[in-house]
Amino acid sequence: MRAFQNLFALLKSGYLPALQILFPLALLIMVTQGTCHAADITVTATLNRASMSVEETAEMVVTVNGSGSAELNMAEVDGLGFTQRGHSRQLQFINGTASASLSITYLIQAMKPGSYVIPAVTVEVEGKKLQTEAIPLEVTSSSPQQQESTPSPSSLDLPGEKDGQKAFLRAEVQNQSYVGERVPLQIKAYFPQHVQASVNTLPGLLGSGFVMEQLDSRPRQTTERLNGTAYNALSWNTHLTGIKEGQFPFQLQLDATLLIRQKTKSPFTGQDPFADDFFTHFLGGFERKPIKINTPETTLEILPLPTENQPEDFSGAIGDFTLQVKASPTFIEIGQPLSITMIVEGTGNFDRVEAPIFPNHPGWKSYSPAGQYTPIEESRKGRKVFEQAVVINDKAISHIPQLSFSYFDPLKKQYVTRFSTPIPLEIKAPVNQSPAPQPTAAGGLSEKISKTDPPKTEESIKKDLAPLHPEIGKLSRTFAPLFVHPWFQAFVICCGLFLFLLLGLLIRNRRLNLHPAEIRKKQRRQLLTQASKELEQAIAAGDSSTFLARCRSVIQQQLGLCWQVPPETITLADLTARLGKKSALVEIFAAAEKGAYAGYELSADTMRQFADTLNKECGQLP
Amino acid sequence: MKSLFVLLVLLCSFDFSFSSPAVAFANDTASISFQQGTAAYSRGDYDEAIRIFEKIISTHGFSASVLYNLGNSYAQSNKIGKAILSYERARILAPGNPDITGNLQYIRKAHGIFEAEPSLASRCISRLTIDGWSILVAIFFTLICISLAAALLRKKNEMKRWIFIALGCLILLVFSTVASIISYTSRQVFIVTMPKTRILLSPFSTSASIGSIQEGRQLQVKKSHADYYYVIDETGRSGWIPQSAIEAIIVQPDSP
């Protein structure tokens, strides 16, 4: 690789013409380097340090001068691990003589402290075996700066490792807590250093009876050595809170993907053809192996809080807290609000920490407190600050009374009550009877204090209510709205159906209006049906003149609608001109004309024939 | 047309309830109890007033006045949640009543339970009761039918005018229907009636709390489990709350 890099550097530096000569020459030398005399070849091994700790590594370089290729045979040493980290070749021209050298670098890791001797490395060059000198190496235990993680007795057993798994998960939590208590939980995922891994999910809780607080998506990363193996460790710190009493087994599970390097071997040499790390990374010689790692099952016993000696103001806070109370201002007028700040600080379940109860007294009006929690950085402590507005209405009030906050201490296994010290106040009568401000909806003192609304005491609230209604009004048994009543629904359904009917008729009429030919055709059909009946009656009565007159009018009606002209204006000449002399309708019309003006009579058979023809011809009109 | 509108107005104003002697007697009894409740309130015996008004509701039913007076009695007893609940119920029956609206706003303001400023649309919708909007729906439905029938029966040149009227009624019908739906859904809320109520993480009494909620505040119930409701408050907080700590503004029929 270095040879390629040097070549690339030369190309970049503008030595291309020279290289045109030197490169073939160098290649010739490299090819023929095996012809160098063995007497010119020397082998050396150097170690960059004589001593190291078990966490550290040493670098050993085996250099072969006088040859560009060699085969090394490293002897195994119990307690030491050798990892080849790369090799380089160099080509030198001194006084026209070319010489090559080969350097191979190894990293040495020690499994345990002790005095070691790295034995002589056997190098085979051109069929001859050469040896380096043995090198002593002193390995000490861990350095004081690096604290080796010593597994606790409960976590020494690594089930994942026993099963041949390469990574494992461990949870450290106390095995007993109280309902509502926040128990610290440390989760650690271990991945061997020689394995690349990616974490797919955050550790999840498998179990019931408690809740786990959300984990940080960026865990702390450290390197640890367990049982002689170096691991990359990811750790999360969180809390478990028991929600009901009992014994609850649980596990934690993590989804990860291991990238395991695959060893490739040449079918010819039996060695890895891309032994260099560069090729291994570049060609992606890794296998992706998804894994699920679990902690061993742990049981957490959740105890109920003792009911004995439970203070009245206990709100469920468990931990260790302090109470501090401040008031501002302490020199006020009657009716002017003052802000009481109550600070509860410590460790524990702050979600259950509630403001100390301000005692009821006719001399003041207290509003609901508003609390805000702030974690204290770089510690497990937190602080919850409550702001409460109080309006003093009595000049006799001389101090803010002692406030108390009770919690359960799980270490002492007893309830503890913290008291504040009374805060002296100086009250004076209002100078100009200016109205006092109004607290906010949240209960804290408003930043924007209203100067129009005086503070409302219970009595004033009662007085300011609108009076009672004197009449009882119409009684009802249900709040059911009108639309759920069946009669209303029936009415709406009827309206809907009627609406659909009307819409259907409107649409139909509109469609017919858009196609007048259809209307005329329908009209002709109706007229023809009616006329057919009359013609049948005339035939039955043997009334030829009526029959002919009706035939004439039928032809005029039908053709009038068809040609869109007034029926009475149609004459025999029109018929002849538009239908032709041979048309059956012309023949019938001519006979009808004769009957009307010349007293022409028809036999019953002829009338029947005319009637059939008339029906047929009129039915075929466009 | 004019006679048609007169007929419609008469139909809408017609009282569909038919009174019987038994009903009249019950109303008399309720009226007597109502006066007793009012008297108890006047002499400052608010617990007795609450008892009487609650009994009227359970025995005879409720009216805006009974609920309003009950709300006043609760307010005087410093039971804010119950007072707000009663006022809210009364407001459903008589949305335009200034006493009900005034006392409700007053109690809320005095105890720091402020509501978001209602939008113009909300104010418009709240002008009528849900039944008022329902009647408008029926009226506009009828008018559409009449207009379309007229469009069919009248001369061709008048058809467009009637269809235009029907379209106008259709727009008003849609608005009334939407207003009815909004009025109905806005009543599906609960009021916290128990002081010092906490919202819990899980439906267990020993569960961790995510904070407390003030008596009188409104909640929306999403689901239930055992004796707990999963609720969302006005600020968007969600969690479990005991069923006994809250009451629905709209109660189921026959269980006021």
Side-chain angles (χ1 to χ4, degrees), chain A residues 472, chain B residues 25-39 52-53 56 60:
Chain A
I472 190 168
Chain B
F25 174 74
N27 281 344
D28 288 346
T29 316
S31 293
I32 292 165
S33 299
F34 184 79
Q35 298 307 325
Q36 287 172 348
T38 310
I52 293 169
F53 289 131
I56 292 172
H60 305 287

PDB file of all heavy atoms in Angstrom, chain A residues 472, chain B residues 25-39 52-53 56 60:
ATOM      1  N   ILE A 472     -89.815  27.657  38.932  1.00  0.00           N
ATOM      2  CA  ILE A 472     -89.169  26.367  38.702  1.00  0.00           C
ATOM      3  C   ILE A 472     -88.937  26.107  37.210  1.00  0.00           C
ATOM      4  O   ILE A 472     -87.982  25.440  36.835  1.00  0.00           O
ATOM      5  CB  ILE A 472     -89.998  25.221  39.344  1.00  0.00           C
ATOM      6  CG1 ILE A 472     -89.196  23.915  39.313  1.00  0.00           C
ATOM      7  CG2 ILE A 472     -91.341  25.052  38.650  1.00  0.00           C
ATOM      8  CD1 ILE A 472     -89.783  22.822  40.169  1.00  0.00           C
TER       9      ILE A 472
ATOM     10  N   PHE B  25    -100.017  17.552  38.849  1.00  0.00           N
ATOM     11  CA  PHE B  25     -99.831  17.339  40.279  1.00  0.00           C
ATOM     12  C   PHE B  25     -98.339  17.246  40.627  1.00  0.00           C
ATOM     13  O   PHE B  25     -97.859  17.839  41.596  1.00  0.00           O
ATOM     14  CB  PHE B  25    -100.556  16.045  40.700  1.00  0.00           C
ATOM     15  CG  PHE B  25    -100.293  15.669  42.128  1.00  0.00           C
ATOM     16  CD1 PHE B  25    -100.884  16.384  43.169  1.00  0.00           C
ATOM     17  CD2 PHE B  25     -99.430  14.621  42.447  1.00  0.00           C
ATOM     18  CE1 PHE B  25    -100.627  16.042  44.493  1.00  0.00           C
ATOM     19  CE2 PHE B  25     -99.174  14.288  43.759  1.00  0.00           C
ATOM     20  CZ  PHE B  25     -99.774  14.992  44.792  1.00  0.00           C
ATOM     21  N   ALA B  26     -97.639  16.510  39.782  1.00  0.00           N
ATOM     22  CA  ALA B  26     -96.190  16.371  40.006  1.00  0.00           C
ATOM     23  C   ALA B  26     -95.505  17.718  39.937  1.00  0.00           C
ATOM     24  O   ALA B  26     -94.623  18.027  40.743  1.00  0.00           O
ATOM     25  CB  ALA B  26     -95.602  15.420  38.960  1.00  0.00           C
ATOM     26  N   ASN B  27     -95.950  18.549  38.978  1.00  0.00           N
ATOM     27  CA  ASN B  27     -95.357  19.875  38.848  1.00  0.00           C
ATOM     28  C   ASN B  27     -95.644  20.724  40.076  1.00  0.00           C
ATOM     29  O   ASN B  27     -94.799  21.500  40.519  1.00  0.00           O
ATOM     30  CB  ASN B  27     -95.884  20.566  37.592  1.00  0.00           C
ATOM     31  CG  ASN B  27     -95.180  20.051  36.356  1.00  0.00           C
ATOM     32  OD1 ASN B  27     -94.127  19.422  36.469  1.00  0.00           O
ATOM     33  ND2 ASN B  27     -95.777  20.295  35.208  1.00  0.00           N
ATOM     34  N   ASP B  28     -96.839  20.569  40.627  1.00  0.00           N
ATOM     35  CA  ASP B  28     -97.184  21.314  41.840  1.00  0.00           C
ATOM     36  C   ASP B  28     -96.264  20.900  42.990  1.00  0.00           C
ATOM     37  O   ASP B  28     -95.752  21.745  43.726  1.00  0.00           O
ATOM     38  CB  ASP B  28     -98.647  21.049  42.221  1.00  0.00           C
ATOM     39  CG  ASP B  28     -99.596  21.757  41.251  1.00  0.00           C
ATOM     40  OD1 ASP B  28     -99.101  22.629  40.491  1.00  0.00           O
ATOM     41  OD2 ASP B  28    -100.794  21.420  41.238  1.00  0.00           O
ATOM     42  N   THR B  29     -96.083  19.565  43.148  1.00  0.00           N
ATOM     43  CA  THR B  29     -95.214  19.067  44.213  1.00  0.00           C
ATOM     44  C   THR B  29     -93.799  19.601  44.029  1.00  0.00           C
ATOM     45  O   THR B  29     -93.143  20.029  44.986  1.00  0.00           O
ATOM     46  CB  THR B  29     -95.191  17.515  44.182  1.00  0.00           C
ATOM     47  OG1 THR B  29     -96.518  17.053  44.013  1.00  0.00           O
ATOM     48  CG2 THR B  29     -94.595  16.952  45.445  1.00  0.00           C
ATOM     49  N   ALA B  30     -93.337  19.558  42.787  1.00  0.00           N
ATOM     50  CA  ALA B  30     -91.985  20.040  42.495  1.00  0.00           C
ATOM     51  C   ALA B  30     -91.873  21.522  42.806  1.00  0.00           C
ATOM     52  O   ALA B  30     -90.861  21.977  43.354  1.00  0.00           O
ATOM     53  CB  ALA B  30     -91.657  19.772  41.029  1.00  0.00           C
ATOM     54  N   SER B  31     -92.938  22.260  42.472  1.00  0.00           N
ATOM     55  CA  SER B  31     -92.911  23.707  42.733  1.00  0.00           C
ATOM     56  C   SER B  31     -92.831  23.992  44.230  1.00  0.00           C
ATOM     57  O   SER B  31     -92.096  24.891  44.669  1.00  0.00           O
ATOM     58  CB  SER B  31     -94.166  24.375  42.164  1.00  0.00           C
ATOM     59  OG  SER B  31     -94.148  24.294  40.783  1.00  0.00           O
ATOM     60  N   ILE B  32     -93.561  23.201  45.009  1.00  0.00           N
ATOM     61  CA  ILE B  32     -93.520  23.390  46.471  1.00  0.00           C
ATOM     62  C   ILE B  32     -92.110  23.109  46.993  1.00  0.00           C
ATOM     63  O   ILE B  32     -91.536  23.878  47.776  1.00  0.00           O
ATOM     64  CB  ILE B  32     -94.569  22.477  47.153  1.00  0.00           C
ATOM     65  CG1 ILE B  32     -95.967  22.968  46.787  1.00  0.00           C
ATOM     66  CG2 ILE B  32     -94.379  22.456  48.663  1.00  0.00           C
ATOM     67  CD1 ILE B  32     -97.073  21.969  47.085  1.00  0.00           C
ATOM     68  N   SER B  33     -91.546  22.003  46.525  1.00  0.00           N
ATOM     69  CA  SER B  33     -90.175  21.655  46.941  1.00  0.00           C
ATOM     70  C   SER B  33     -89.200  22.746  46.525  1.00  0.00           C
ATOM     71  O   SER B  33     -88.268  23.098  47.254  1.00  0.00           O
ATOM     72  CB  SER B  33     -89.755  20.328  46.316  1.00  0.00           C
ATOM     73  OG  SER B  33     -90.605  19.299  46.723  1.00  0.00           O
ATOM     74  N   PHE B  34     -89.417  23.268  45.315  1.00  0.00           N
ATOM     75  CA  PHE B  34     -88.552  24.318  44.793  1.00  0.00           C
ATOM     76  C   PHE B  34     -88.570  25.539  45.712  1.00  0.00           C
ATOM     77  O   PHE B  34     -87.528  26.115  46.039  1.00  0.00           O
ATOM     78  CB  PHE B  34     -89.013  24.684  43.383  1.00  0.00           C
ATOM     79  CG  PHE B  34     -88.150  25.677  42.683  1.00  0.00           C
ATOM     80  CD1 PHE B  34     -86.953  25.290  42.099  1.00  0.00           C
ATOM     81  CD2 PHE B  34     -88.527  27.014  42.597  1.00  0.00           C
ATOM     82  CE1 PHE B  34     -86.152  26.207  41.448  1.00  0.00           C
ATOM     83  CE2 PHE B  34     -87.724  27.935  41.954  1.00  0.00           C
ATOM     84  CZ  PHE B  34     -86.538  27.538  41.375  1.00  0.00           C
ATOM     85  N   GLN B  35     -89.770  25.916  46.141  1.00  0.00           N
ATOM     86  CA  GLN B  35     -89.888  27.059  47.055  1.00  0.00           C
ATOM     87  C   GLN B  35     -89.205  26.764  48.386  1.00  0.00           C
ATOM     88  O   GLN B  35     -88.567  27.644  48.970  1.00  0.00           O
ATOM     89  CB  GLN B  35     -91.371  27.404  47.287  1.00  0.00           C
ATOM     90  CG  GLN B  35     -92.127  27.835  46.021  1.00  0.00           C
ATOM     91  CD  GLN B  35     -91.422  28.959  45.277  1.00  0.00           C
ATOM     92  OE1 GLN B  35     -90.804  29.833  45.880  1.00  0.00           O
ATOM     93  NE2 GLN B  35     -91.505  28.924  43.946  1.00  0.00           N
ATOM     94  N   GLN B  36     -89.313  25.503  48.838  1.00  0.00           N
ATOM     95  CA  GLN B  36     -88.644  25.125  50.106  1.00  0.00           C
ATOM     96  C   GLN B  36     -87.124  25.237  49.953  1.00  0.00           C
ATOM     97  O   GLN B  36     -86.430  25.704  50.854  1.00  0.00           O
ATOM     98  CB  GLN B  36     -89.014  23.690  50.481  1.00  0.00           C
ATOM     99  CG  GLN B  36     -90.448  23.556  50.970  1.00  0.00           C
ATOM    100  CD  GLN B  36     -90.881  22.109  51.151  1.00  0.00           C
ATOM    101  OE1 GLN B  36     -90.193  21.191  50.703  1.00  0.00           O
ATOM    102  NE2 GLN B  36     -92.029  21.902  51.777  1.00  0.00           N
ATOM    103  N   GLY B  37     -86.650  24.785  48.821  1.00  0.00           N
ATOM    104  CA  GLY B  37     -85.210  24.886  48.560  1.00  0.00           C
ATOM    105  C   GLY B  37     -84.749  26.331  48.535  1.00  0.00           C
ATOM    106  O   GLY B  37     -83.701  26.682  49.097  1.00  0.00           O
ATOM    107  N   THR B  38     -85.538  27.174  47.875  1.00  0.00           N
ATOM    108  CA  THR B  38     -85.207  28.597  47.796  1.00  0.00           C
ATOM    109  C   THR B  38     -85.196  29.222  49.195  1.00  0.00           C
ATOM    110  O   THR B  38     -84.315  30.030  49.526  1.00  0.00           O
ATOM    111  CB  THR B  38     -86.241  29.323  46.907  1.00  0.00           C
ATOM    112  OG1 THR B  38     -86.363  28.598  45.689  1.00  0.00           O
ATOM    113  CG2 THR B  38     -85.831  30.728  46.600  1.00  0.00           C
ATOM    114  N   ALA B  39     -86.173  28.793  50.024  1.00  0.00           N
ATOM    115  CA  ALA B  39     -86.241  29.322  51.395  1.00  0.00           C
ATOM    116  C   ALA B  39     -85.027  28.889  52.205  1.00  0.00           C
ATOM    117  O   ALA B  39     -84.445  29.695  52.957  1.00  0.00           O
ATOM    118  CB  ALA B  39     -87.524  28.833  52.056  1.00  0.00           C
ATOM    119  N   ILE B  52     -82.612  19.540  48.829  1.00  0.00           N
ATOM    120  CA  ILE B  52     -83.956  19.689  48.230  1.00  0.00           C
ATOM    121  C   ILE B  52     -83.872  19.758  46.702  1.00  0.00           C
ATOM    122  O   ILE B  52     -84.622  19.081  46.003  1.00  0.00           O
ATOM    123  CB  ILE B  52     -84.656  20.938  48.807  1.00  0.00           C
ATOM    124  CG1 ILE B  52     -84.962  20.719  50.297  1.00  0.00           C
ATOM    125  CG2 ILE B  52     -85.931  21.253  48.041  1.00  0.00           C
ATOM    126  CD1 ILE B  52     -85.419  21.972  51.036  1.00  0.00           C
ATOM    127  N   PHE B  53     -82.945  20.554  46.210  1.00  0.00           N
ATOM    128  CA  PHE B  53     -82.844  20.689  44.742  1.00  0.00           C
ATOM    129  C   PHE B  53     -82.428  19.361  44.094  1.00  0.00           C
ATOM    130  O   PHE B  53     -82.903  19.012  43.015  1.00  0.00           O
ATOM    131  CB  PHE B  53     -81.848  21.799  44.376  1.00  0.00           C
ATOM    132  CG  PHE B  53     -82.358  23.191  44.692  1.00  0.00           C
ATOM    133  CD1 PHE B  53     -81.579  24.100  45.391  1.00  0.00           C
ATOM    134  CD2 PHE B  53     -83.636  23.584  44.295  1.00  0.00           C
ATOM    135  CE1 PHE B  53     -82.047  25.364  45.688  1.00  0.00           C
ATOM    136  CE2 PHE B  53     -84.112  24.862  44.583  1.00  0.00           C
ATOM    137  CZ  PHE B  53     -83.317  25.749  45.286  1.00  0.00           C
ATOM    138  N   ILE B  56     -85.483  17.212  43.942  1.00  0.00           N
ATOM    139  CA  ILE B  56     -86.388  17.603  42.836  1.00  0.00           C
ATOM    140  C   ILE B  56     -85.891  16.968  41.537  1.00  0.00           C
ATOM    141  O   ILE B  56     -86.670  16.421  40.754  1.00  0.00           O
ATOM    142  CB  ILE B  56     -86.449  19.145  42.708  1.00  0.00           C
ATOM    143  CG1 ILE B  56     -87.139  19.758  43.925  1.00  0.00           C
ATOM    144  CG2 ILE B  56     -87.171  19.555  41.420  1.00  0.00           C
ATOM    145  CD1 ILE B  56     -87.066  21.277  43.987  1.00  0.00           C
ATOM    146  N   HIS B  60     -88.495  14.572  40.041  1.00  0.00           N
ATOM    147  CA  HIS B  60     -89.349  15.193  39.012  1.00  0.00           C
ATOM    148  C   HIS B  60     -88.598  15.562  37.739  1.00  0.00           C
ATOM    149  O   HIS B  60     -89.221  15.905  36.744  1.00  0.00           O
ATOM    150  CB  HIS B  60     -89.998  16.460  39.583  1.00  0.00           C
ATOM    151  CG  HIS B  60     -90.758  16.228  40.852  1.00  0.00           C
ATOM    152  ND1 HIS B  60     -91.965  15.579  40.880  1.00  0.00           N
ATOM    153  CD2 HIS B  60     -90.470  16.543  42.149  1.00  0.00           C
ATOM    154  CE1 HIS B  60     -92.394  15.505  42.145  1.00  0.00           C
ATOM    155  NE2 HIS B  60     -91.494  16.082  42.929  1.00  0.00           N
TER     156      HIS B  60
END
